[in-house]
Amino acid sequence: MRLRLVATAVVATCALAGCTTIGGNSGTSATPTSGAASPEAVAYMDKVCGAASEFAKIEKTPPKLDAGDSAKLKAEMAAYMGQLADAFTKSAEGLKNVGPSPVAGGEEAVTKMADAFTSLGAVFTDAKTKIEQADANNASGGLQAAGEAIAKLSELADPLRELKAVPELQKATQTASKCQEMQRLNVTPTS
């Protein structure tokens, strides 16, 4: 039960946490604080947030931790790791296809975001393989691989952090509808 709750909380945080902190740090903006982000930057960020939010749209069903049936637990945990791998991979592919940035530095930031999602997709694919290869009678072997993969999510606590280096795009997240949609999906309170 604890692993399921931790996994669900970490995954939700990973997918959405960046959206609540993006709007901060306006003191470092290269654009005038009274002006709005350019329409091109807002449109670009709609594409970026739309691609990043694909992760949240993919069905991810955490396994029910039933200690009595380790073979079932193993199969369900492997399926869950596969769902997470697919979700990260889909977001990474979407980020790679958003097109050129209208703002200098935007493409580099989005490429770094895509690389982070790609890396996590590979981590969960590897965890799925390890779980599938684990002895069904030794549930802890498979669960250890899942736990290690889930621990990697903390490295991506803010999936849009790369945008902090591009103040105009960071500012555009405040009005881009897809970024606002991601913020509304957030289950943690904002401050």
Side-chain angles (χ1 to χ4, degrees):
M1 178 66 103
R2 178 174 160 80
L3 179 61
R4 181 179 64 158
L5 294 175
V6 170
T8 302
V10 173
V11 170
T13 300
C14 168
L16 305 170
C19 300
T20 60
T21 59
I22 282 299
N25 202 15
S26 62
T28 62
S29 177
T31 59
T33 56
S34 62
S38 72
E40 296 83 8
V42 172
Y44 184 72
M45 286 313 303
D46 262 333
K47 291 180 187 177
V48 171
C49 288
S53 69
E54 284 301 312
F55 172 86
K57 296 176 185 175
I58 292 180
E59 181 69 28
K60 296 169 288 294
T61 308
K64 293 171 179 54
L65 300 181
D66 179 7
D69 189 350
S70 55
K72 180 180 176 186
L73 175 60
K74 175 185 164 184
E76 289 178 355
M77 186 60 76
Y80 184 56
M81 293 293 108
Q83 291 167 345
L84 291 171
D86 291 346
F88 280 114
T89 300
K90 185 170 183 175
S91 284
E93 290 304 315
L95 287 167
K96 291 174 187 174
N97 293 315
V98 296
S101 172
V103 177
E107 288 179 55
E108 292 84 1
V110 172
T111 296
K112 287 178 183 178
M113 290 169 57
D115 290 347
F117 277 96
T118 298
S119 176
L120 283 168
V123 165
F124 282 98
T125 298
D126 184 51
K128 178 181 186 260
T129 301
K130 287 179 181 176
I131 292 167
E132 290 171 339
Q133 294 172 349
D135 179 2
N137 295 318
N138 179 6
S140 64
L143 291 179
Q144 180 180 353
E148 290 168 1
I150 290 167
K152 291 280 189 186
L153 289 176
S154 65
E155 296 173 12
L156 189 68
D158 181 353
L160 303 177
R161 73 178 174 264
E162 297 300 335
L163 296 176
K164 291 178 182 173
V166 188
E168 186 175 352
L169 292 182
Q170 183 180 9
K171 190 173 188 174
T173 64
Q174 296 171 7
T175 54
S177 63
K178 294 286 186 182
C179 297
Q180 295 304 305
E181 208 174 285
M182 284 179 69
Q183 189 172 21
R184 282 190 298 274
L185 290 173
N186 196 338
V187 295
T188 59
T190 59
S191 56

